[in-house]
Structure formats: structure tokens, C-alpha cells
């Protein structure tokens, strides 16, 4: 998500580093125990987030929960709030995470978010009124939102460049795995005390309480993890940063690899600092108000510069369409949708929902492995069109048979199958790919801010979808599927006509495709090379003989632009 040690270093040192570094991909993750620990850690963050997204759909349809929350469930308006207030909390959480991560450190931000998250879960689990569910889900959302930004950022900065792409993908896989587990736990606990009037309240309190398990492991685990080397350099704690890098690589602090990585981070830090001084000389005194204004102006520059605004539009609209394909409408309300599609009995519709979790998880795996070979556009466009077709088939069947599913079981099963195909289409395309796209389109100097805007667009749209879906299903019925289907179609066309292919582009080429005639990234690169010369990074590479590895600096830029 965030650019870790980005490839702005001198090409010589970079080649030398590549000759020394370990394997990439899965082999690289397993090869080094400490990196493997990071990977597990990244997955826990994703698991927490996925479980949290999936668990509530099953709870909503449980008999004892409906009895307890009565009017909040039966009224589509309040049912929408019950689900979507979490997204509203997450939107606030994501926007505050960037500031906290810089101020408190990535590590303490994660600990704080886990604490907040746990408070919210306890309030929900002990709920006796709808008000506790509303409050609990809002607080849980605050935690989940800031974790959804802090964990990937921390991982990108702590892990070596060669496994960074796999980590982003791994987290996406963990999210779908979390959704999968939550659906099946709901299916199991639904039987506690029977599925009818005898159902125990434990049936819905247990799945909610289970969220504490990954949260507590994450919160306790991070105590033993180091600070992010990138954050330490920003704080001027260089020796500690070198020590952390050395431990992560299991090499002595004075070894070449550790020194090069450290100097690359240092170069990146100096680069950002100088860019700020260049653009905003008036806010350089380090006071709170100056720092606040610096941040504000950096965000404003995203809107005032044409090429950056284009990138903001691509990032935000990609996230907009990712949500308006209706994927979360399906995830949050799947059991009630399956019940509407004529699957009788609560247990059956929860079972059908469990299948959604399984197929989405399985579909994410090929995406993780092949996304860099195929490119972003074909994957996103094909996914969007398949999802649109599924929505429209469901719409037609619902229009024809919505009051006679019982006498047309085949139609009902075809509609269910379409929901499953939809889940596959989302799982291989818009699920992982939209996040990868959104992370790689920014020039280094504003990457963090760009990603935070796109993530907040994701949560805000997520909130609106969760909010309106129950009312739509009640009032316009099959129109709901027509509506989401048209948006999926539009999303495909949007990618086709307005989004450039970003697979394997260097940062300079990225400037070209986004119509940046002043060459923002090229200017960035010249400044970075000057810094590399100044802090001895270039000399370091030349001294070692830069020819160990045939990669050019452009390719290097590209490899690491995907942090």
C-alpha cells in the first residue's frame, strides 16, 4: 500500500542490492523466518478485516438476533444502518490513520486500533438493545478502518522489496479467507439451540466474539515487532533503523545489503523533505500548525494539478465502481438474497452463502499468482462484464418468478448459480486488482496521500451501498440487480476507455500515460539521483561494480513501484 523503500536510489547500488537479495514471491516469503513472520502478520490484518465483513450477514438472519433486535431488523432503513454504520466508522478511521501512523509510529497505531476494535466487539457481543449494536459497530469500524491502512503500510516498510508484491496479494487472499471462515462459523452456530424459536442467543454472540481472536493475536504480536525502519529514519533515529534492517535480513548491520537498503530509505526521506521545502518554504519551522498546513496543501495539490487530479479520479472511481458492482450488497445480505431467490429455510440460505465464501476465496488464488503476467485492464474489464451479465440474469429471473419460486426450482437454482459466478468474477478481478492499480499510479512524493483518498472512497461507497441495499431489495426488487448490473457494465467501460494499462510501467512511463507533460516523476528521479550521490549511495554501488545484475534503473523503479 504505502511505498516502502522505493526505488529512487542510484541504479548502481540498486543492481548490487539485487545481486545480493533473496528470492522473490512465495519462495522469498518462506525463505526467511522473520519475513515469514511479517507475512503471517499481514494475513492476520486481512483475516480480521474479512471476518468482520462477512460475519454480520449470517447474524442478521438468525432467529434469536431478530427477536432481540426486533424493529431494527424488520425496517429496511434501520437494517441498512445496522450494517453500514461500521463502514462509516471505518471511513473516519482510514482518514485518521495516516496522521497517527506518522505521529505515533506504525507499530503503536496498530496497537491502538486493535484496542479500539476490541472495545467495539465487546460492546456488540454483550448487546441487549439495537443501540449497543450501532455503537459497537461504529467503534469496531474505527479500528478496522485504521488497521486496513496501517497494517499494509507497516508491512510494505518492514519487508524486503523482493517479496512486497506477494505480501499485498497475500493480504487480499487473507481477506477472502476471513469472509469464508465467517460464513461457515455462522452456518455452524446457527444450530445452537435449534434454528427456530428455541435458538439460543449464543448462536449470534459467539461469531461476534470470535473477532477478538485474530485481533488479540495481532495486538500482542505487534508488541514484539520492531518499529518500521522508514518511520525511524523519519524520526532521525538512523542507528535503530540500521539495526532493524539487519535483524529482518539476519545479516550484520554493516553488511552491503543492509547498508544499501538503509541508504535507499534515507534517500527517499531526504527526497520527500526537500520536495516539501521546495514547494512550501513558508511551513518549514516544524510547529504543529505548519505541519498541519503542509499536509493540507499536499492534499490540495492533488486537486489543482491536472495530471494528479486525473490520478485521483482514476483511484477514486475505480474504488467507486468496485463497490457499486454490488459485491458488498451480496456479502452483507447474501442470506436474505438467497431466501428471496426461493431457497427455503434459514439454514439453506446460510449454506448457499457459505458457498459464496468458498468460490470467492478460490478465485482469488489465480489472481495472486498471475496478476503481473496478464495485466490490469483485461482482468478488470472481463470481471466487470461477467458480473454485469450475472446481475442481469438474476434480474430477469426475479422479475419473472419472484412470486412463484416454489414452482420453478430450476430458475431459483440458476439465480443462485449466478450469484456464485458473480463471486468468482469479483474474486479474480476487482477484489485484488483494484487495490493493486490504486497503489501503483502515484508518484512517490504523494503516494501515501493518494492511497488514503482512494481507500476512503472505498469505505464511503461501501457505506452507501450497505445503507441503501435493504431498502432497494424491498422497494424495487429485481430493479436492484438491474441497477448494480448497469454499474458493473459502466465500470468495465470506465476501465476500457479512461484507465491506462499500468502493468510493468516505470514511473516515467506512468507520467506519460497520465498526461504529465512536466515529467513529475522524471524531475523526482533527477532529484533522487542527486541525493544518492550526496549520501554516498551511488559511490557504494560503483565501488562494488554495478554490473552484477542486468536490470536497468527503470525496471527497478517498476519492481518497487508496486509496493
Amino acid at each position: 500500500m504505502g511505498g516502502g523503500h522505493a526505488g529512487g536510489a542510484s541504479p548502481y547500488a540498486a543492481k548490487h542490492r539485487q545481486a545480493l537479495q533473496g528470492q522473490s514471491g512465495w519462495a522469498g516469503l518462506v525463505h526467511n523466518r522473520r519475513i515469514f513472520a511479517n507475512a503471517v502478520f499481514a494475513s492476520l490484518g486481512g483475516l480480521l478485516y474479512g471476518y468482520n465483513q462477512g460475519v454480520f450477514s449470517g447474524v442478521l438472519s438468525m432467529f434469536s438476533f431478530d427477536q432481540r433486535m426486533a424493529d431494527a431488523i424488520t425496517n429496511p432503513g434501520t437494517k441498512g444502518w445496522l450494517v453500514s454504520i461500521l463502514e462509516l466508522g471505518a471511513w473516519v478511521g482510514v482518514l485518521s490513520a495516516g496522521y497517527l501512523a506518522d505521529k505515533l509510529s506504525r507499530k503503536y497505531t496498530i496497537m491502538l486500533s486493535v484496542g479500539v476494535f476490541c472495545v467495539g466487539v465487546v460492546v456488540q457481543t454483550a448487546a441487549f438493545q439495537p443501540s449497543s449494536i450501532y455503537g459497537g459497530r461504529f467503534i469496531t469500524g474505527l479500528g478496522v478502518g485504521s488497521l486496513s491502512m496501517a497494517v499494509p503500510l507497516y508491512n510494505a516498510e518492514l519487508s524486503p522489496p523482493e517479496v512486497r508484491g506477494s505480501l499485498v496479494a497475500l493480504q487480499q487472499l487473507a481477506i477472502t479467507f476471513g469472509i469464508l471462515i465467517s460464513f461457515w462459523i455462522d452456518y455452524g452456530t446457527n444450530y445452537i439451540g435449534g434454528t427456530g424459536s428455541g435458538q439460543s442467543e449464543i448462536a449470534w454472540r459467539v461469531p461476534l466474539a470470535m473477532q477478538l481472536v485474530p485481533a488479540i493475536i495481532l495486538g500482542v504480536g505487534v508488541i514484539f515487532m520492531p518499529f518500521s525502519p522508514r518511520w525511524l529514519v523519519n524520526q532521525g533515529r538512523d542507528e535503530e533503523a540500521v539495526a532493524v534492517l539487519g535483524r529482518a535480513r539476519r545479516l550484520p548491520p554493516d553488511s552491503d545489503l543492509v547498508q544499501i537498503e538503509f541508504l535507499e530509505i534515507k534517500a527517499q526521506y531526504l527526497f520527500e523533505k526537500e520536495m516539501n521545502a521546495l514547494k512550501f518554504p513558508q511551513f518549514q519551522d516544524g510547529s504543529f500548525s505548519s505541519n498541519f498546513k503542509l499536509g493540507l496543501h499536499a492534499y490540495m495539490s492533488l486537486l489543482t494539478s491536472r495530471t494528479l487530479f486525473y490520478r485521483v479520479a482514476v483511484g477514486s472511481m475505480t474504488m467507486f465502481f468496485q463497490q457499486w458492482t454490488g459485491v458488498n450488497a451480496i456479502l452483507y445480505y447474501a442470506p436474505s438474497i438467497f431466501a428471496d431467490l426461493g431457497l427455503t429455510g434459514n439454514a439453506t440460505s446460510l449454506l448457499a452463502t457459505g458457498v459464496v465464501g468458498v468460490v470467492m476465496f478460490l478465485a482469488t488464488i489465480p489472481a495472486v499468482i498471475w496478476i503481473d503476467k496478464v495485466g490490469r485492464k483485461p482482468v478488470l474489464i472481463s470481471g466487470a462484464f461477467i458480473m454485469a451479465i450475472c446481475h442481469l440474469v438474476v434480474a430477469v429471473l426475479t422479475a419473472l418468478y419472484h412470486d412463484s419460486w416454489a414452482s420453478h426450482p430450476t430458475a431459483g437454482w440458476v439465480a443462485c448459480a449466478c450469484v456464485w459466478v458473480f463471486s468468482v468474477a469479483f474474486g479474480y478481478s476487482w477484489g485484488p486488482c483494484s487495490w493493486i492499480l490504486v497503489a501503483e499510479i502515484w508518484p512517490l512524493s504523494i503516494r501515501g496521500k493518494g492511497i488514503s483518498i482512494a481507500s476512503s472512497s472505498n469505505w464511503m461507497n461501501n457505506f452507501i451501498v450497505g445503507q441503501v441495499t435493504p431498502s432497494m431489495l424491498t422497494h424495487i426488487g429485481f430493479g436492484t440487480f438491474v441497477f448494480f448490473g448497469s454499474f458493473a457494465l459502466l465500470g468495465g467501460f470506465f476501465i476500457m476507455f479512461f484507465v491506462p494499462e499500468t502493468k510493468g510501467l516505470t514511473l516515467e512511463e506512468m507520467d506519460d500515460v497520465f498526461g504529465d507533460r512536466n515529467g513529475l516523476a522524471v524531475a523526482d528521479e533527477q532529484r533522487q539521483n542527486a541525493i544518492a550521490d550526496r549520501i554516498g549511495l551511488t559511490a557504494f554501488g560503483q565501488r562494488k561494480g554495478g554490473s552484477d545484475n542486468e536490470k536497468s534503473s527503470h525496471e527497478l523503479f517498476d519492481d518497487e513501484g508496486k509496493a
Side-chain angles (χ1 to χ4, degrees), residues 254-404:
D254 55 359
S255 70
D256 286 3
L257 192 55
V258 173
Q259 285 297 319
I260 293 177
E261 272 191 17
F262 165 70
L263 288 174
E264 283 180 337
I265 297 174
K266 183 82 180 165
Q268 175 64 26
Y269 162 68
L270 290 170
F271 165 73
E272 284 175 12
K273 202 172 151 179
E274 286 179 21
M275 286 302 282
N276 271 333
L278 194 74
K279 286 190 204 149
F280 310 113
Q282 68 276 36
F283 304 135
Q284 294 301 317
D285 58 359
S287 68
F288 176 77
S289 74
S290 291
N291 287 343
F292 180 74
K293 286 176 190 154
L294 256 180
L296 204 63
H297 279 277
Y299 274 111
M300 291 308 292
S301 74
L302 291 176
L303 304 178
T304 48
S305 137
R306 192 171 167 271
T307 163
L308 292 183
F309 184 70
Y310 181 22
R311 297 180 208 218
V312 170
V314 166
S316 310
M317 293 301 289
T318 302
M319 285 310 175
F320 169 84
F321 283 118
Q322 187 208 33
Q323 288 306 319
W324 288 94
T325 55
V327 64
N328 281 328
I330 302 267
L331 290 182
Y332 296 145
Y333 302 109
S336 36
I337 291 174
F338 281 124
D340 291 349
L341 293 180
L343 285 191
T344 43
N346 179 17
T348 324
S349 61
L350 278 180
L351 187 64
T353 308
V355 177
V356 169
V358 174
V359 294
M360 196 180 276
F361 174 67
L362 293 175
T364 311
I365 298 174
V368 167
I369 302 171
W370 287 303
I371 193 83
D372 283 332
K373 297 195 178 60
V374 185
R376 320 287 181 245
K377 283 181 77 163
V379 171
L380 288 170
I381 293 168
S382 62
F385 290 164
I386 296 172
M387 288 191 285
I389 292 166
C390 292
H391 273 310
L392 295 174
V393 172
V394 172
V396 169
L397 291 172
T398 311
L400 293 174
Y401 304 121
H402 63 94
D403 39 15
S404 61

Side-chain angles (χ1 to χ4, degrees), residues 13 16-17 20-21 241-264 537 540-541 543-544:
H16 183 52
R17 172 170 58 69
L20 294 169
Q21 70 190 18
V242 173
V244 168
L245 287 169
R247 279 201 302 276
R249 286 290 200 183
R250 295 195 292 188
L251 290 169
D254 55 359
S255 70
D256 286 3
L257 192 55
V258 173
Q259 285 297 319
I260 293 177
E261 272 191 17
F262 165 70
L263 288 174
E264 283 180 337
L537 187 54
F540 199 104
R543 197 172 68 239
K544 302 290 178 190

